Amino acid sequence: MITLEIKNTVAYVTLFRAEKQNALNFIMFKQLAKVIKQLKKNKSIRAVIIQGSGEHFCSGLDVASVMKSPIDMFKLLFKWLPGNCNLAQQVVLGWQSLSVPVFAVIQGNCFGGGLQIALGADYRIAHPDTQLAIMEARWGLCPDMGANVILPSLLKRDDAQWLASHAEPISAYKAHEIGLVTLLSDNPHDACQSMITTLFERSPDALAAIKRVTQQSYHTPKRRILAKETFSQIRLIINPNTKKAIAKAKGNDTIKYQNPKHW
């Protein structure tokens, strides 16, 4: 469900579940974590592109699939130490650990866990028709995949809080305005390739150093935030209000987001 292809020193990582809008199931989490480990060991690549197959980037967590197996939910959230990354957080923050630039090419729906994976990239190139949302609150949950480590370097606090709280899609234009998206393009793949061509003119060692220094300059207390994310999510999962929220969300599954919200 996750494919990896390397062409001309560029690694293409594709979420390959188009019939489900590339919704994330447990197998995809494991495969994404494996791909990140492979890329970290591969010293020949100079850039990574994360993309979705078909018309959409990723519609988020396949809640029905994951909730069918409580052991899978446990495996997603389990960590040996509170400040460590669990599997759900690895597939977001793992891209940050790569020494090469990582691009997310986004189209269609980019919701929930899909948006958080895109946030793990260094650059997000989106088609103007893209819709983006942090949707966990719709299910009575909170974002828990490491997005809270990244968002402070991208958004103002009130924008980040509102985006996570109202749990409705926003347009690509609004996402670009508030800093969630790096660049809008009618052909995001071409725009991404153009950026990569520019970066290939620079020393890969310099790019790696710039990435490390930039990350450090926007440093947040990562371990504390990761622990808080997971602890908060576990409390919410066992909360009666979460069951009510999930039931309500299931009843609204037919809603089509044709007019993304602005604020």
Side-chain angles (χ1 to χ4, degrees), residues 213-228:
V213 172
T214 304
Q215 286 176 344
Q216 188 63 35
S217 67
Y218 287 93
H219 177 73
T220 55
K222 177 180 174 181
R223 295 185 64 82
R224 186 184 306 171
I225 292 174
L226 293 178
K228 190 67 174 178

Side-chain angles (χ1 to χ4, degrees), residues 1 17 20 23-27 61-70 72-73 76 250:
M1 297 180 186
R17 201 183 179 210
K20 292 287 187 179
L24 300 163
N25 59 22
F26 182 67
I27 294 173
L61 182 67
D62 186 342
V63 176
S65 172
V66 175
M67 294 296 272
K68 282 181 182 179
S69 175
D72 286 350
M73 181 63 73
L76 277 177
K250 286 181 177 178

Side-chain angles (χ1 to χ4, degrees), residues 36-255:
I36 291 171
K37 288 181 179 179
Q38 288 177 304
L39 294 175
K40 199 168 184 179
K41 295 177 181 178
N42 190 332
K43 304 304 180 183
S44 68
I45 63 168
R46 293 204 55 192
V48 176
I49 296 176
I50 313 168
Q51 58 190 357
S53 60
E55 298 179 356
H56 303 280
F57 181 76
C58 176
S59 61
L61 182 67
D62 186 342
V63 176
S65 172
V66 175
M67 294 296 272
K68 282 181 182 179
S69 175
I71 188 64
D72 286 350
M73 181 63 73
F74 172 78
K75 290 177 180 178
L76 277 177
L77 299 178
F78 175 77
K79 55 179 69 177
W80 289 106
L81 293 172
N84 288 1
C85 285
N86 56 30
L87 180 57
Q89 292 161 339
Q90 287 173 28
V91 303
V92 174
L93 298 180
W95 309 108
Q96 300 276 301
S97 69
L98 302 181
S99 61
V100 299
V102 179
F103 298 79
V105 175
I106 310 171
Q107 76 287 334
N109 293 337
C110 182
F111 297 158
L115 176 53
Q116 293 191 67
I117 288 173
L119 287 173
D122 300 304
Y123 308 99
R124 283 156 296 286
I125 319 301
H127 190 279
D129 292 338
T130 301
Q131 301 181 82
L132 305 95
I134 295 178
M135 299 192 78
E136 282 78 1
R138 185 173 178 234
W139 301 92
L141 303 171
C142 67
D144 68 329
M145 291 174 61
N148 293 295
V149 174
I150 301 168
L151 284 176
S153 67
L154 301 177
L155 308 184
K156 297 185 300 179
R157 186 192 64 82
D158 52 349
D159 282 343
Q161 184 172 329
W162 180 247
L163 184 69
S165 298
H166 75 67
E168 296 288 344
I170 62 172
S171 70
Y173 293 100
K174 184 63 184 179
H176 184 251
E177 177 187 327
I178 64 176
L180 200 63
V181 165
T182 310
L183 179 69
L184 296 181
S185 173
D186 289 328
N187 195 324
H189 282 90
D190 283 356
C192 181
Q193 291 293 345
S194 178
M195 292 178 70
I196 288 175
T197 298
T198 298
L199 292 179
F200 275 12
E201 296 176 0
R202 311 292 176 245
S203 160
D205 295 326
L207 295 180
I210 290 168
K211 180 170 179 174
R212 290 194 302 269
V213 172
T214 304
Q215 286 176 344
Q216 188 63 35
S217 67
Y218 287 93
H219 177 73
T220 55
K222 177 180 174 181
R223 295 185 64 82
R224 186 184 306 171
I225 292 174
L226 293 178
K228 190 67 174 178
E229 275 191 351
T230 304
F231 178 71
S232 299
Q233 196 73 301
I234 291 172
R235 288 187 63 185
L236 286 170
I237 288 172
I238 62 177
N239 191 305
N241 283 332
T242 303
K243 295 181 180 179
K244 295 177 183 178
I246 291 174
K248 182 179 179 180
K250 286 181 177 178
N252 293 331
D253 274 347
T254 57
I255 293 176

